[in-house]
Amino acid sequence: MDAIYQWLLTALREEFEAARLLKESPRGTVALVRHRSTGRRFILRRFRGSAEVYRALLDCACPNLPQVLEVASRGEDHLVLEEFIQGDTLDFLLRDGRFSPRETRKIAGQLCRALWVLHTLGAVHRDVKPENVILRGGEAVLIDFDAARLRKPNHRTDTQVLGTTGFAAPEQYGLSQTDGRADIYSLGVLLNVMLTGEHPSVRLAPGRLGRVVERCTRVNPEKRYPNILRLMEAL
Amino acid sequence: MADNCKTCPHCGAPLPAEASFCPRCAQSVNRRRSLSPPSRGGRRTLRRIMPVLVLLLFLGGGTLWVWAARPQVYEGTGEVTYPLSGVPYRLFLTNSAEHPEPLPRREISTAVSGEPYRAPVLLYIDGGAGGAAFLEQVERVTAEFPTVAGRGGNFSCTAPSPHSAFPGIPLVSLMDYTVSTDCTAQMTWTFTMKNGDTIRLRQEVAVSTARTYDYYPTDAPMSTAAELQALLDELADTLEPDAEINLHLPAVTYEAVPITASRSFNFYGSTQGEQRTTFTAPLQLEAGTVDWISYLYDISFLGSGSGTALSAVARVWVESCAFTGWDTGVLCAGISWGNVIDCDFTGNGVGFHFDSAGGSASHSMYNDNLFRDNGTAVLLERVPTDLPLNFQGSVFAGNGTDIDNRCGQPLDLSGAVFP
């Protein structure tokens, strides 16, 4: 583990140049880096904690998830190199207006595909929100797995409050373990924000999509769609 | 790398055997599987038709029954009385197990903008034997926040159920909220009775926000114990009691003099090179007039065999800190509640000591700690509630006693590691 971490550090120094620091937190940094000889841009994450979800995504390809290209760890320090997604975030696009039900349904379906892959790998994203969705051409791409974790069957409760309040499901604040239904909750909130600009507790979207939102965002996870496939069908 | 390497299939560059990416040509070199959800069209059609069939089957009889039963609706704010078999049951919502009085409007005077909070809402039932007969006739109970006045708040709550932290209370819902401005929300509990009646019990929740202050080493001197103490005293004297104060400490060692915080502060340690924010002096946390939690992150407490590294008589949350070589690492006393998470307790007489007489629980988790080579890793003398303490992922190794549970506190050790 240590050897490949050192190898990647050296390779990054020799073959890449820093372009921009995108995010800095106590947990680590996210930077845009440029490959010197090809000019291609990549995202480099350096953080402490768990890289298990990034590692699980190393062997996967899905148009609605960024390609994770390399994961290297030294103890709890991790380096993750991933595909740079060119496009605007939903957060940015929502500043200028709302989405039509048809557009919302299409984007939600694509996000469901991304979440299906994560859930199939035993992972929960836990931070589905407009800032973490990039529209690349006609495809929505779900990014940022910093809050994500693999589900551990023996853990009855989660360890920390993660995710973004308002989009995070109630069970993410403890007392029961989050599973894929926490992502269904957040996706329900996201759907409502795309349609109305408001959290569903403030104003629920009208019509059939509103009923989908209502079921996604029930406080009791048992009352939500049981899995992402059911939500895809409802959409 | 010479013994265990491969070459890039695109450019021929040598790569470690476990590499997934070639940094020279910026190409992926591992095999990827394409994942996409299965199609469920047939089942989808069947599922769409099924409700219609069921609906047609029961339409006539169902409609007749609804008209015949004519269920009643009972509503109230703070409290509501519901007659059942000649007994008037008084249901009310409140926030205190010590003072069970109806609370139609709950005012939470301070909350920090953008921070998530959780607070319990308790249901009391007067009449009958603790409301058991009433609860037997309840088909379903839900709690929700259908309305929020103002745009600056998000409110939700858990499904009502008994809670181990509140023994004797029939039902508890945990309210989660985040606000960015002052706002009011209305919580509604809805009881659907087996006889078809509906009871709606409401409580207004008004939340007002407090200010947050951040202090960095560039803002105020805090490089020595004396400077830090002076800053803590000044801020405690001059800032609003309900303000949230974040102190971003430099990577220095605070030596010799015990440091006392007379109100809640959040302490964020830092690392520069090999140096991490370190206390060789004890840190004492006292309660201010407002009962905020003090948070400590990324700080080392390095002792010389005596004294208590961190003693709290106020609520405290300690995360990613290290306590080494003290008589006691963390002591929660007075009426405090403390959580230690992802901490390292090594070579102390007692690692974590809970000896608190009152107050309420902040959180049930004590996860991912390392307790190593302590006389006693965890000493539970008095813990203020019966909430099970969960040590999931915590490792106990080489301690004289791993857990001295003198007060018989419920514990969840199913996820703890005792190698």
Side-chain angles (χ1 to χ4, degrees), chain A residues 4 7 35 40 58-61 67-70 81 113 156-157 159 165 173 175 198 219 230 233, chain B residues 18 20-21 23-24 26 30 32-33 35 37 40 47 118 151 157-158 174 176 178 365 367 392 412:
Chain A
I4 195 164
W7 167 79
H35 189 243
R40 287 176 60 194
L58 257 180
D59 301 325
C60 298
Q67 209 172 68
V68 176
L69 297 162
E70 191 62 275
L81 191 68
R113 201 182 313 161
R156 290 223 315 258
T157 56
T159 54
T165 305
Y173 300 121
L175 300 175
E198 304 274 15
V219 171
R230 288 289 182 84
E233 289 170 11
Chain B
E18 60 269 50
S20 304
F21 176 75
R24 188 201 278 177
N30 64 335
R32 289 176 187 273
R33 57 202 168 109
L35 295 173
R40 290 162 64 105
R47 194 169 292 124
R118 165 169 274 190
R151 295 167 55 89
C157 54
T158 61
L174 300 171
D176 293 294
T178 307
M365 296 305 297
N367 53 286
Q392 142 192 314
D412 186 344

Side-chain angles (χ1 to χ4, degrees), chain A residues 1 3-4 7-8 11-12 15-16 26 35 37-38 40 42 56-63 67-71 76 81 98 112-113 116-117 120-121 149 154-161 165-168 170-171 173-175 185 197-202 208 219-220 223 227 229-230 232-235, chain B residues 1 14-16 18-28 30-38 40 43-44 47-48 114-118 140 143-148 150-151 153-159 163 174 176-178 268 298 317 319 341-342 363-365 367-368 387 390 392-393 412 414-415:
Chain A
M1 286 287 193
I4 195 164
W7 167 79
L8 185 59
L12 285 167
E15 306 286 354
F16 291 78
H35 189 243
S37 61
T38 64
R40 287 176 60 194
F42 297 86
L57 286 169
L58 257 180
D59 301 325
C60 298
C62 169
Q67 209 172 68
V68 176
L69 297 162
E70 191 62 275
V71 180
E76 286 212 334
L81 191 68
R98 309 285 165 255
C112 281
R113 201 182 313 161
W116 181 86
V117 171
T120 302
L121 295 172
R149 52 164 288 175
N154 292 332
H155 284 195
R156 290 223 315 258
T157 56
D158 276 330
T159 54
Q160 293 165 31
V161 173
T165 305
F167 289 89
E171 63 270 25
Y173 300 121
L175 300 175
Y185 179 98
E198 304 274 15
H199 191 278
S201 63
V202 178
R208 189 160 179 276
V219 171
N220 184 351
K223 306 287 186 191
N227 56 52
L229 287 177
R230 288 289 182 84
M232 289 177 81
E233 289 170 11
L235 285 167
Chain B
M1 198 167 80
L15 299 171
E18 60 269 50
S20 304
F21 176 75
C22 173
R24 188 201 278 177
C25 64
Q27 297 285 335
S28 183
N30 64 335
R31 190 184 296 268
R32 289 176 187 273
R33 57 202 168 109
S34 182
L35 295 173
S36 59
R40 290 162 64 105
R43 291 183 64 181
R44 180 169 53 200
R47 194 169 292 124
R48 278 180 177 166
E115 286 289 316
Y117 291 90
R118 165 169 274 190
R140 187 172 67 249
E144 59 181 347
F145 280 92
T147 61
V148 180
R151 295 167 55 89
N154 289 313
F155 290 78
S156 62
C157 54
T158 61
H163 197 293
L174 300 171
D176 293 294
Y177 61 95
T178 307
Y268 294 85
D298 301 318
W317 177 291
E319 186 169 333
I341 289 175
D342 189 29
H363 201 283
S364 63
M365 296 305 297
N367 53 286
D368 298 322
L387 190 70
N390 190 329
Q392 142 192 314
D412 186 344
S414 58

Side-chain angles (χ1 to χ4, degrees), chain A:
Chain A
M1 286 287 193
D2 280 11
I4 195 164
Y5 186 92
Q6 192 54 48
W7 167 79
L8 185 59
L9 263 185
T10 306
L12 285 167
R13 208 162 33 239
E14 291 173 353
E15 306 286 354
F16 291 78
E17 61 190 12
R20 189 155 37 106
L21 182 65
L22 300 176
K23 192 165 93 176
E24 187 166 18
S25 71
R27 206 163 165 253
T29 60
V30 182
L32 182 66
V33 296
R34 192 189 316 273
H35 189 243
R36 286 198 173 94
S37 61
T38 64
R40 287 176 60 194
R41 288 179 293 178
F42 297 86
I43 296 294
L44 175 65
R45 297 177 186 275
R46 303 181 71 150
F47 62 96
R48 284 178 66 79
S50 170
E52 56 189 358
V53 173
Y54 288 103
R55 207 173 287 286
L57 286 169
L58 257 180
D59 301 325
C60 298
C62 169
N64 306 109
L65 290 169
Q67 209 172 68
V68 176
L69 297 162
E70 191 62 275
V71 180
S73 304
R74 183 172 60 194
E76 286 212 334
D77 292 324
H78 308 288
L79 287 171
V80 173
L81 191 68
E82 69 182 52
E83 177 188 14
F84 170 65
I85 309 294
Q86 178 82 51
D88 291 323
T89 64
L90 267 190
D91 178 50
F92 177 80
L93 296 169
L94 280 167
R95 287 174 205 166
D96 290 335
R98 309 285 165 255
F99 287 80
S100 69
R102 187 177 175 182
E103 292 167 328
T104 302
R105 195 177 289 115
K106 180 185 169 197
I107 290 169
Q110 292 167 346
L111 295 176
C112 281
R113 201 182 313 161
L115 289 172
W116 181 86
V117 171
L118 287 172
H119 295 179
T120 302
L121 295 172
V124 187
H125 187 280
R126 304 208 300 178
D127 205 10
V128 178
K129 58 179 178 177
E131 294 92 323
N132 285 341
V133 177
I134 296 178
L135 289 188
R136 173 172 57 184
E139 290 282 348
V141 182
L142 181 64
I143 63 166
D144 196 345
F145 311 107
D146 281 1
R149 52 164 288 175
L150 292 183
R151 186 166 155 73
K152 296 182 175 66
N154 292 332
H155 284 195
R156 290 223 315 258
T157 56
D158 276 330
T159 54
Q160 293 165 31
V161 173
L162 290 174
T164 303
T165 305
F167 289 89
E171 63 270 25
Q172 277 179 251
Y173 300 121
L175 300 175
S176 66
Q177 188 183 187
T178 52
D179 59 19
R181 292 170 300 183
D183 287 338
I184 288 174
Y185 179 98
S186 306
L187 189 52
V189 177
L190 179 68
L191 271 173
N192 203 75
V193 170
M194 290 173 72
L195 291 163
T196 69
E198 304 274 15
H199 191 278
S201 63
V202 178
R203 182 156 66 102
L204 185 67
R208 189 160 179 276
L209 279 176
R211 290 194 290 279
V212 173
V213 170
E214 189 276 325
R215 183 155 177 204
C216 287
T217 55
R218 289 182 187 174
V219 171
N220 184 351
E222 301 289 335
K223 306 287 186 191
R224 295 176 205 153
Y225 294 105
N227 56 52
I228 210 77
L229 287 177
R230 288 289 182 84
L231 173 56
M232 289 177 81
E233 289 170 11
L235 285 167

